[in-house]
Amino acid sequence: MNYQKIKRKIDFFTALIGIIVLFPIWVLLIILIKVDSKGPILFKQKRIGINKKYFNIYKFRTMYVNTPKDCPTHLLQNPDIYITKVGKFLRKTSLDELPQMINILKGDMSIIGPRPALWNQNDLIEERDKYGANDVLPGLTGWAQINGRDELLIPEKAKLDGEYIKKMSFWFDLKCFFGTIKNVVQGDGILEGGISEIK
């Protein structure tokens, strides 16, 4: 059987189990977000999905409602003024990404894959076309995320996404999954104010 078909089943059941097991944490985070600042609980944003089709990605809201939309956080001149107190914690721990389990259930995303580009990130989309990285489901996390995340320049990020496409398998997905856990615990690769140099 084609691995991508197996991968879809793994994604669906893993996301479903994750939502059920983590439900108390969801409830706690929803309360904290509502107490901390005015606005919706979830943040929706138009992203590029498989075959460059649009979909709305879900996240827990980490910014105030007057924040400029459709701009990557690391490109904002002073992102700290837009991020809520609870939002800083959610971003540091990557808990703001939990609602993407809904996207995975819907079939918009996979657990592992290239992170979905913003609809207006034409430079990243074009670079990914060179490697076929727009032809698979985008992921909650991926090979590029455990090798630099926000610190990566676009050509390097697209190249890593292409490397993932070539190596995509159950075992490589496991490597990405556990690499993500390690990075989240260590807080690696998160950059709010700009793009750092790649060493």
Side-chain angles (χ1 to χ4, degrees):
M1 186 183 286
N2 186 298
Y3 174 62
Q4 291 202 41
K5 292 181 180 178
I6 300 172
K7 182 178 168 75
R8 174 62 194 143
K9 292 180 180 179
I10 293 171
D11 287 337
F12 182 87
F13 288 109
T14 303
L16 183 61
I17 292 168
I19 290 173
I20 294 169
V21 171
L22 298 174
F23 183 72
I25 294 176
W26 283 56
V27 173
L28 176 61
L29 294 179
I30 287 168
I31 294 170
L32 290 174
I33 291 166
K34 291 302 291 182
V35 170
D36 185 44
S37 62
K38 294 181 180 179
I41 295 162
L42 293 181
F43 170 73
K44 293 193 298 183
Q45 192 176 53
K46 189 162 76 170
R47 297 285 183 119
I48 299 294
I50 187 170
N51 299 321
K52 294 189 279 192
K53 293 179 180 178
Y54 296 135
F55 75 98
N56 285 319
I57 197 172
Y58 302 118
K59 294 187 178 189
F60 282 126
R61 182 176 58 83
T62 60
M63 293 185 163
Y64 296 106
V65 292
N66 63 343
T67 302
K69 294 182 179 180
D70 295 327
C71 178
T73 308
H74 64 270
L75 294 183
L76 292 171
Q77 293 215 339
N78 190 3
D80 283 338
I81 65 173
Y82 299 110
I83 302 172
T84 65
K85 292 178 182 177
V86 171
K88 289 178 182 178
F89 167 74
L90 293 176
R91 284 168 170 262
K92 187 175 181 179
T93 58
S94 294
L95 288 171
D96 61 317
E97 311 282 357
L98 284 179
Q100 284 160 53
M101 289 183 183
I102 299 170
N103 287 117
I104 294 169
L105 285 180
K106 290 173 62 182
D108 297 327
M109 292 176 62
S110 177
I111 294 172
I112 309 294
R115 279 296 291 169
L118 280 165
W119 65 274
N120 58 0
Q121 284 183 292
N122 295 320
D123 45 1
L124 177 57
I125 297 164
E126 288 175 9
E127 281 293 315
R128 282 178 169 171
D129 271 336
K130 298 176 183 178
Y131 304 100
N134 292 314
D135 302 330
V136 298
L137 283 174
L140 177 64
T141 185
W143 186 232
Q145 278 56 56
I146 65 172
N147 284 285
R149 199 172 172 179
D150 291 337
E151 295 181 351
L152 293 172
L153 298 175
I154 282 171
E156 186 68 17
K157 184 181 290 186
K159 186 177 179 180
L160 285 166
D161 289 333
E163 190 177 329
Y164 170 76
I165 302 303
K166 288 182 180 178
K167 296 182 178 180
M168 186 166 52
S169 67
F170 176 74
W171 298 111
F172 196 62
D173 280 357
L174 272 185
K175 183 176 182 178
C176 293
F177 181 79
F178 287 111
T180 298
I181 293 174
K182 178 185 174 185
N183 281 13
V184 169
V185 170
Q186 295 178 344
D188 288 344
I190 301 171
L191 189 69
E192 300 292 12
I195 300 176
S196 69
E197 282 187 42
I198 299 175
K199 295 182 181 179

